[in-house]
Every structure is written in structure tokens, then in C-alpha cells.
Amino acid sequence: MGNTPFDTRSSEWIGDMTVWLRENSGDNAEQLARLRRNLRMARERELTPCQRRMVDMRFDQNMRPAEIARELGVNPSTVSRTLRRAMERLRRYLRYSL
């Protein structure tokens, strides 16, 4: 390993490739719009009212699980478990909707 010459061009190549990818990548605005629309639909259709409320508090109101637990009067592990199940439901729904 110590006798291997250092190739300065490799880091330049990575930078060149990054620029090329940025310039030649397609616009994914349509896919993002579809993902946002499907996520809204999934939150309405797939989640239980309790899951929906906790997901709203966690991601829309940017609350930590401990804060959610305090406000709802439940154990923090209940919040974590409910959020994990909600995220799995959303992931499963979105996997087939894209």
C-alpha cells in the first residue's frame, strides 16, 4: 500500500463527473409532485386517526417524540412504536404508487 503512487487526477475526475451529472440529469419535478400528492393521499387513507395525529405532530409541527408523549399523555415508547408503524404503512403504500 505504501508503494502505491497517489493519483491526483482521481479527485478531479470525481469533481468532473459530479458537474456532468448535474448538467445532464433530468428534471425530477414531476416525480416529486407525484410523490407529494401520493403522500398526502396515503396519510389520509392509510393511517389510523391516532397515527395521523402523531405523524402530523412529528413532521408538520416538528415535535420530538417525548414532547408528543407529554402532550398526549402516553408513554414515549407508545409514540415511537406508533410512528414506526405509521411510517411502515406509508412506505408500503408509496412503494406501489410510484
Side-chain angles (χ1 to χ4, degrees):
M1 227 36 199
N3 296 335
T4 306
F6 180 70
D7 182 13
T8 58
R9 179 69 180 126
S10 64
S11 62
E12 293 174 20
W13 180 84
I14 291 172
D16 293 344
M17 192 62 168
T18 303
V19 170
W20 183 87
L21 285 171
R22 190 179 311 127
E23 290 174 352
N24 293 303
S25 64
D27 183 21
N28 63 350
E30 184 179 322
Q31 288 94 348
L32 286 174
R34 185 171 58 230
L35 179 62
R36 286 186 187 105
R37 185 177 56 247
N38 288 343
L39 181 57
R40 255 191 319 274
M41 206 173 354
R43 284 173 73 169
E44 294 170 6
R45 293 180 181 178
E46 296 297 315
L47 299 181
T48 66
C50 181
Q51 288 174 338
R52 193 176 309 119
R53 183 171 183 201
M54 287 188 191
V55 166
D56 289 343
M57 293 171 87
R58 177 69 180 107
F59 296 105
D60 296 340
Q61 298 174 25
N62 210 20
M63 296 174 71
R64 294 189 324 263
E67 295 171 329
I68 296 170
R70 248 190 325 274
E71 187 164 318
L72 298 178
V74 296
N75 195 312
S77 65
T78 302
V79 173
S80 296
R81 198 170 40 248
T82 302
L83 286 172
R84 187 176 60 245
R85 288 177 181 157
M87 298 305 291
E88 182 56 37
R89 279 182 148 190
L90 293 174
R91 197 174 294 116
R92 195 174 331 126
Y93 181 88
L94 291 173
R95 184 178 336 154
Y96 296 110
S97 67
L98 297 175

